């Protein structure tokens, strides 16, 4: 090695992985996560905590993922994502209750198209009595 560091008394670990983040603020202004502190900048938050990879927990759905993919492409931090069953992703309130915007076929197609970035499906925030989103 060209340089040796004395790290006695310190804890040395490989880069950490944060398994539940929200790093996509949406593709439209004034929607859930957009313009709020609920969606973090991966490149600002991750390095401070020795995190080299973050996994977004369903901020985008199959309709909004192309915009999120552009965010991911510009990030220095490695970003993987769960794809929300809701086509527009996490928009809050009534949007996440709209069964007409939940498409298993479109979600599966998006997952198959981007296995390099998409690692699962997010099914959450549905308040209905049934299991339709699942």
């Amino acid at each position: 090695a060209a340089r040796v560091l004395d790290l006695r008394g310190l804890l040395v670990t490989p880069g950490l992985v944060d398994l539940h983040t929200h790093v996509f603020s949406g593709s439209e202004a004034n929607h859930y996560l957009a313009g709020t502190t609920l969606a973090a900048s991966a490149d600002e938050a991750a390095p401070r905590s020795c995190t080299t990879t973050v996994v977004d927990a369903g901020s985008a759905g199959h309709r909004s993922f192309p915009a999120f993919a552009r965010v991911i492409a510009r990030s220095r931090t490695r970003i993987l994502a769960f794809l929300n069953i809701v086509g527009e992703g996490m928009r809050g309130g009534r949007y996440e209750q709209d069964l007409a915007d939940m498409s298993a076929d479109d979600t599966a197609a998006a997952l198959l198209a981007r296995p390099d970035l998409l690692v699962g499906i997010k099914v959450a925030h549905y308040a209905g009595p049934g299991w339709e989103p699942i």
Side-chain angles (χ1 to χ4, degrees):
R3 184 174 172 200
V4 176
L5 300 174
D6 182 357
L7 300 176
R8 283 180 280 198
L10 299 176
L11 181 64
V12 177
T13 68
L16 302 175
V17 177
D18 188 334
L19 295 175
H20 189 135
T21 66
H22 293 287
V23 295
F24 178 58
S25 60
S27 55
E28 296 179 45
N30 302 318
H31 285 287
Y32 188 69
L33 298 180
T36 71
T37 58
L38 297 175
S41 164
D43 289 338
E44 289 180 21
R48 296 178 193 170
S49 60
C50 302
T51 301
T52 58
T53 301
V54 299
V55 182
D56 184 277
S59 299
H62 67 271
R63 278 198 250 295
S64 55
F65 186 76
F68 188 22
R70 291 189 294 276
V71 171
I72 293 171
R74 292 189 308 266
S75 178
R76 291 183 314 274
T77 302
R78 181 177 182 224
I79 300 173
L80 302 174
F82 282 86
L83 192 65
N84 201 311
I85 191 69
V86 178
E88 288 296 331
M90 293 178 66
R91 291 181 62 191
R94 64 183 174 92
Y95 296 102
E96 294 182 57
Q97 308 309 310
D98 182 4
L99 292 172
D101 194 28
M102 299 178 195
S103 169
D105 290 339
D106 292 336
T107 300
L111 282 164
L112 291 171
R114 293 308 305 261
D116 56 322
L117 300 178
L118 296 170
V119 296
I121 300 171
K122 169 85 172 231
V123 179
H125 306 158
Y126 179 66
W131 292 90
E132 293 87 353
I134 295 172

